[in-house]
Amino acid sequence: MTVTTPAIVLTAVKYSEADLIVSCYTKEAGLKSYLLRNLLKSKRGKLKPSYFQPLTQLNIDAVHRDKGTLERIREAQVAYPYQSLHTDVIKSSVTLFLAEVLKSSIKEEEANEALFQFLQESLLRLDVSSKSTHFPILFLLKLTAYLGFYPDFSEAQLPYFNMLEGSFQMQEFGHAIKTREAVQCILAYNDLSWEDVGNVRVSKTQRKEALSWLLEYYQLHVENFKQPKSLEVLQTVFS
């Protein structure tokens, strides 16, 4: 079946001398993987290697057999030429980090228009933003709402936070329990809008703690979630 859909590139891995295996999150079919033959050698084809940088937004014509095998992209065009996402050192580090998180977090081969729109709009905001320091934290926190495990901070006055249940509680019982003090680093980002993110007053130490807290939270709620290899680079550029 031929499908025309917007798509966001998550990863591109070299396969043999000239092929790429590309993972994309598509608006029409969710997560899909494609085998692009001879892409790295061909200079006259309709597809260019530069199209498949992490988090590039494309419009693609693809053949989906839906048999659990690698699919095929017939044509692709860049939907939004980024201004700075792949050229600014800090933003490119954020981009690699987010791409890894998304590849570990999104599993479904089915459409989720709300999630796709969130990703699309968030990446455009990052591209034009002059401040990206807090972006990874707010993005990961907002993403949990679309993945189904946004933490419930409505009773933040209680002394303990249950990481598995995603909520505060009065007593220290259960597994993966945090004190309220250990969760304080993330509370500053709760209900924060993109417009207000530049006004957050959080120290570098608290920011690092918030990111670590979120990654631990993801590991508990996403099966086989992998710690991003780019985390160290991200922390270095923000230090």
Side-chain angles (χ1 to χ4, degrees), residues 3-8 24-31 34 58-60 64 110-117 120:
V3 177
T4 299
T5 178
I8 299 172
C24 293
Y25 187 63
T26 71
K27 184 176 181 180
E28 301 298 330
L31 185 66
Y34 302 93
L58 302 172
N59 290 317
I60 63 173
H64 290 175
E110 58 186 34
N112 185 333
E113 187 170 349
L115 173 56
F116 189 89
Q117 185 174 350
Q120 195 175 50

Side-chain angles (χ1 to χ4, degrees), residues 4 23 31 38 40-41 56 71 95 106 121 123 141 153 155-156 165 181 203-204 212 218 222 228:
T4 299
S23 176
L31 185 66
N38 295 316
L40 302 179
K41 282 189 176 181
T56 298
E71 312 289 14
T95 298
I106 299 176
E121 293 177 354
L123 295 173
L141 182 59
F153 293 140
E155 295 186 291
E165 297 295 329
E181 288 71 25
S203 68
K204 291 180 181 179
S212 296
Y218 270 70
V222 178

